[in-house]
Amino acid sequence: MAVTIKSEREIELMRESCRLLAIVHKEMEESIRPGMSTLEVDMIGDTLIRKLGCIPNFKNYHGYPASICVSVNDEVVHGIPNKHRILQEGDIVSLDAGLIYKGYHSDAARTHAVGQISPEAQKLIDVTRESFFAGIKMAKAGNHLHDISNAIDAFIKPHGYGIVRDLVGHGIGTSLHEDPQIPNFAQKRRGMKLQAGMTLAIEPMINMGRADVEWLDDDWTVVTEDGSWSAHYENTILITDGEPEILTLY
Ligand code: MF3
Ligand code: CO
């Protein structure tokens, strides 16, 4: 799948797709409380996406069985919602969601606290979000793709966290995953030159412990190998000649 440069018309559609996704994230965030199941979170997200006239793009994506990825604690990404999986006070929960509006995809992820959480867990969430913003400082036309990767890595390094290497960010548009792939760790090559009109999903996944991950037997859920907790922060952005536009912020 090639890198695509969006026209003004396509950019408007991406903006709307992402604006609607931000509303979905807001509603899911406000619903989070101890005692709810991860399936309830999926139902809230799925219902709102459809009410907004959109299609949940994760559902049936390579057979993924839900609309929202709900990943708890040591689950990094792609947790499968389950009515028996109950969120507990002190947990952290990563919600990854996307939708299709008039053929255009959006994708964003947030990690939330469930009730009161430890200062260590809160710091992991905060640093993961901040690493995204460190990365996109470099996201402008004329810079190179791996300037983003290197900036995320440099921001995380002093914290000693593990940066997940097996999953990366990606281009996005009329498909959920377009080229280029966007690693969140330092690269030797510069990568491609960024151009105005590229839309990218940048998504650091950061572990409190080591970077290594493994896949559970459900073939979806990615967990940390060492059992340490993990946070995720993702937005769909637009490259411009100046500052990037973050399309999925509320
Ligand atoms: N949001 C994920 C990404 O950033 C995609 C989820 S794949 C699914 O690439 F199958 F779980 F939907
Ligand atoms: Co993504």
Side-chain angles (χ1 to χ4, degrees), residues 177-194:
H177 294 127
E178 296 184 355
D179 281 341
Q181 294 196 21
I182 311 171
N184 298 299
F185 53 98
Q187 302 292 308
K188 289 204 185 74
R189 294 168 173 276
R190 294 193 297 178
M192 70 185 308
K193 201 177 241 191
L194 297 172

Side-chain angles (χ1 to χ4, degrees), residues 74 207-214 223-229:
D74 65 316
N207 303 342
M208 222 183 274
R210 287 190 300 106
D212 308 74
V213 298
E214 59 192 20
V223 299
T224 61
E225 224 177 76
D226 63 7
S228 66
W229 287 15

Side-chain angles (χ1 to χ4, degrees), residues 107 170 177 201 203 234:
D107 186 6
H170 50 93
H177 294 127
E203 50 178 319
E234 174 182 30

Side-chain angles (χ1 to χ4, degrees), residues 35 44 58 119 162 183 185:
I44 289 163
F58 295 1
F185 53 98

Side-chain angles (χ1 to χ4, degrees), residues 144-154 157 163-168 181-192:
H144 288 81
L145 184 67
H146 295 163
D147 295 335
I148 302 172
S149 312
N150 295 343
I152 294 171
D153 190 300
K157 189 151 277 161
I163 303 174
V164 173
R165 304 171 77 90
D166 301 60
L167 298 141
V168 295
Q181 294 196 21
I182 311 171
N184 298 299
F185 53 98
Q187 302 292 308
K188 289 204 185 74
R189 294 168 173 276
R190 294 193 297 178
M192 70 185 308

